[in-house]
Amino acid sequence: MSFELSFENVKKELNFNPKDYEKRVKEINALLESERENPKNFVGWLHYASHINQNLVDSIKKQAKYFRENYDTLVVCGIGGSYLGTRAVIEAVNGLFPKDPFKILYFGQTLDPNYTSQILDYLQDRNFCVVCISKSGTTTETSVAFRLLRNILESKLGKREAAKAIACVTSIGKGALYKMATQEGYNTFELPDNIGGRYSVITPVGLLPIACAGIDIDRFIAGFVRAEEKFNSPELSQNYAYQYACEQNFLYGKGYDIELLITYEPRLQALAEWYKQLFDESNGKDQKGLLVMSSTFTTDLHSLGQYIQDGKKVIFETVLLFNKPKVDVKIPWNEEDLDELNYIADKELSYVNRKACEGTINAHANDGNVPNIVIELDTLDEYKFGEFLYFSMRACAMAGYLEGVNPFNQPGVEIYKKNMFKLLGKKGY
Ligand code: PA5
């Protein structure tokens, strides 16, 4: 099974009819593809992977090799779309406690002084390098963090050596980061103008840090390329990404205002953060939009589970499952059986986790009347993950247009920034 999508309790109870969507899906698909003709539209990600320049991939690999060979820690400095996809891939593929001596830290995504001072303290004893990622080049959280990191590097190594420990990903030709990188001689990679942050994980935004984490970016790109072919079809019956977008739209129309992305693995929590950003920043606007949230089971079955089962019927779930775990753990037999677990002794944890999942879907979908969409993939590796990320992006774009909003802008995000700048006394605000 390489990519399966099923709709538990969606069709049978609520009369979902794909025919109601087929024509609009075709029109929106044509619109998306035609938007590629104008570089001012933000659909550069649609076929980025299949057109990626090999020289760019090689230069990313070269930079990653240099960093891995000369430093022991990488600080990924960015916020929102400039770091969430990266973190999602690295944590999903390498796990939360990787044995790799080359460490990856995330910074530039908060203004919290406690987090900041702890990370700076930690870095004092590390031989670290930095990838600073910002499309605009002016995001406050990222700029502040980058200034602090440069200060440490420059006082430790001097300006020339510090410059070797820094690479940037930004828009070419504009913004403070590009200007600084050019002036200071930092290696710089392009984030194309026609790709927004939350759709940018397939560009150097994701590829550079992911390669630094020792992950095979050729396979990651190949997963995206495969997904481009798979989720390109205007025929709803042949396109899982569009089917998913239609189901979301349908359920939202039936009063299910909240979607929970459910995973059964803590290493997918960063993916959930990316996913929430993708859908909510894209489609929550004009006083409407499905609110996409997430939950990690079985952990949250002991907290949120109560509400999902018995609370207000505004939630539906999308359960993301990877069928083959990378490693498994057997529950040992114990002679005394004081904990009464011998009935599952010698069983793999993946088996128990799966039974928990089956039991939960049944409880929520059948007893709790919570519609469940299930997405099943066979393995969680860089290839499959690339495929899933592209699937999500394509579904998100379709869902936005079905809802009647532009999924590629984020006007609401600017308002807090303006207020903050005004309060901080920034010139011009
Ligand atoms: O998806 C988006 O567009 C945003 O989340 C941005 O990525 C985020 O605000 C960071 O912006 P920038 O890359 O300009 O620093």
Side-chain angles (χ1 to χ4, degrees):
M1 194 177 326
S2 91
F3 205 104
E4 279 295 324
L5 192 59
S6 65
F7 303 101
E8 301 282 330
N9 194 34
V10 175
K11 284 178 193 154
K12 66 175 186 273
E13 300 292 341
L14 297 160
N15 300 323
F16 173 77
N17 185 359
K19 293 245 167 303
D20 297 341
Y21 282 93
E22 281 168 359
K23 188 166 167 273
R24 276 161 77 204
V25 162
K26 272 193 190 139
E27 286 163 4
I28 294 170
N29 184 69
L31 171 75
L32 270 173
E33 293 293 341
S34 71
E35 281 184 335
R36 288 168 59 204
E37 284 154 25
N38 184 347
K40 287 205 173 115
N41 292 326
F42 287 91
V43 292
W45 54 274
L46 272 177
H47 298 286
Y48 184 92
S50 53
H51 291 79
I52 198 163
N53 183 319
Q54 193 52 45
N55 291 337
L56 172 66
V57 178
D58 292 342
S59 64
I60 287 172
K61 287 183 188 166
K62 194 171 157 206
Q63 180 71 65
K65 188 168 181 284
Y66 174 76
F67 277 170
R68 286 183 67 86
E69 284 174 358
N70 290 281
Y71 304 90
D72 60 26
T73 302
L74 168 70
V75 186
V76 178
C77 189
I79 193 168
S82 286
Y83 101 106
L84 284 168
T86 298
R87 188 169 190 166
V89 178
I90 294 175
E91 291 191 356
V93 176
N94 287 352
L96 296 177
F97 307 103
K99 292 214 172 98
D100 190 355
F102 188 81
K103 302 291 169 215
I104 313 273
L105 304 181
Y106 302 94
F107 193 27
Q109 83 289 29
T110 178
L111 293 168
D112 172 27
N114 301 302
Y115 183 96
T116 301
S117 77
Q118 278 203 313
I119 213 167
L120 296 177
D121 278 354
Y122 176 85
L123 289 170
Q124 287 298 341
D125 305 326
R126 309 291 302 187
N127 176 24
F128 71 92
C129 55
V130 178
V131 175
C132 183
I133 307 162
S134 175
K135 183 173 180 183
S136 61
T138 52
T139 300
T140 312
E141 292 86 340
T142 307
S143 305
V144 168
F146 190 39
R147 179 183 279 204
L148 292 164
L149 292 170
R150 285 196 325 275
N151 272 358
I152 301 183
L153 283 174
E154 287 175 6
S155 62
K156 246 176 33 180
L157 307 171
K159 250 180 175 300
R160 258 173 71 143
E161 285 304 305
K164 293 186 193 160
I166 294 170
C168 298
V169 183
T170 188
S171 292
I172 298 299
K174 53 182 168 232
L177 182 59
Y178 177 76
K179 204 169 145 203
M180 183 199 308
T182 313
Q183 192 172 309
E184 302 290 338
Y186 305 148
N187 243 1
T188 301
F189 296 84
E190 181 180 15
L191 169 48
D193 285 347
N194 63 352
I195 301 182
R198 56 195 178 274
Y199 295 85
S200 70
V201 62
I202 186 59
T203 72
V205 167
L207 294 179
L208 178 56
I210 291 169
C212 290
I215 293 170
D216 183 344
I217 58 169
D218 291 328
R219 282 188 50 72
F220 181 65
I221 296 167
F224 259 80
V225 174
R226 177 75 189 104
E228 278 184 25
E229 294 156 6
K230 242 174 162 168
F231 306 119
N232 205 17
S233 171
E235 298 301 331
L236 186 55
S237 61
Q238 287 162 34
N239 193 324
Y240 280 150
Y242 292 168
Q243 286 174 29
Y244 176 49
C246 292
E247 296 284 351
Q248 281 183 318
N249 181 275
F250 171 76
L251 288 166
Y252 176 62
K254 291 275 174 193
Y256 293 96
D257 283 349
I258 301 168
E259 175 182 15
L260 284 181
L261 178 75
I262 307 294
T263 61
Y264 278 77
E265 305 181 49
R267 66 177 166 156
L268 297 179
Q269 274 163 356
L271 167 70
E273 293 305 314
W274 174 83
Y275 198 81
K276 286 189 282 193
Q277 187 218 1
L278 176 69
F279 281 93
D280 293 333
E281 200 168 53
S282 296
N283 297 340
K285 52 191 66 150
D286 304 342
Q287 278 75 56
K288 53 185 172 180
L290 175 72
L291 175 64
V292 178
M293 303 298 285
S294 67
S295 204
T296 307
F297 288 176
T298 58
T299 316
D300 294 343
L301 287 173
H302 299 258
S303 60
L304 275 190
Q306 170 60 37
Y307 190 103
I308 300 168
Q309 185 75 47
D310 279 345
K312 199 170 172 191
K313 296 296 138 194
V314 286
I315 297 174
F316 73 91
E317 293 171 299
T318 295
V319 184
L320 175 63
L321 297 174
F322 288 91
N323 285 327
K324 290 188 205 133
K326 229 175 187 171
V327 285
D328 222 330
V329 177
K330 233 185 208 165
I331 299 171
W333 169 265
N334 182 286
E335 201 50 52
E336 291 179 89
D337 197 26
L338 292 175
D339 50 13
E340 300 173 9
L341 282 177
N342 275 356
Y343 78 103
I344 44 172
D346 293 330
K347 293 268 189 293
E348 311 277 6
L349 266 182
S350 63
Y351 170 81
V352 180
N353 212 15
R354 177 48 75 119
K355 292 296 154 203
C357 170
E358 287 169 12
T360 305
I361 291 176
N362 204 312
H364 290 182
N366 295 331
D367 298 335
N369 279 318
V370 175
N372 266 240
I373 296 172
V374 180
I375 301 174
E376 279 193 83
L377 306 178
D378 44 11
T379 41
L380 197 174
D381 58 15
E382 42 276 75
Y383 180 89
K384 233 344 108 194
F385 213 69
E387 218 183 297
F388 177 72
L389 296 182
Y390 186 88
F391 160 88
S392 310
M393 283 154 51
R394 195 102 199 185
C396 180
M398 175 56 70
Y401 281 131
L402 281 173
E403 190 187 301
V405 299
N406 174 358
F408 304 122
N409 65 6
Q410 55 284 326
V413 177
E414 298 310 312
I415 299 169
Y416 103 88
K417 286 190 197 165
K418 281 190 187 137
N419 287 347
M420 177 177 76
F421 291 148
K422 197 171 170 195
L423 291 168
L424 288 170
K426 190 172 176 173
K427 220 170 144 189
Y429 288 87

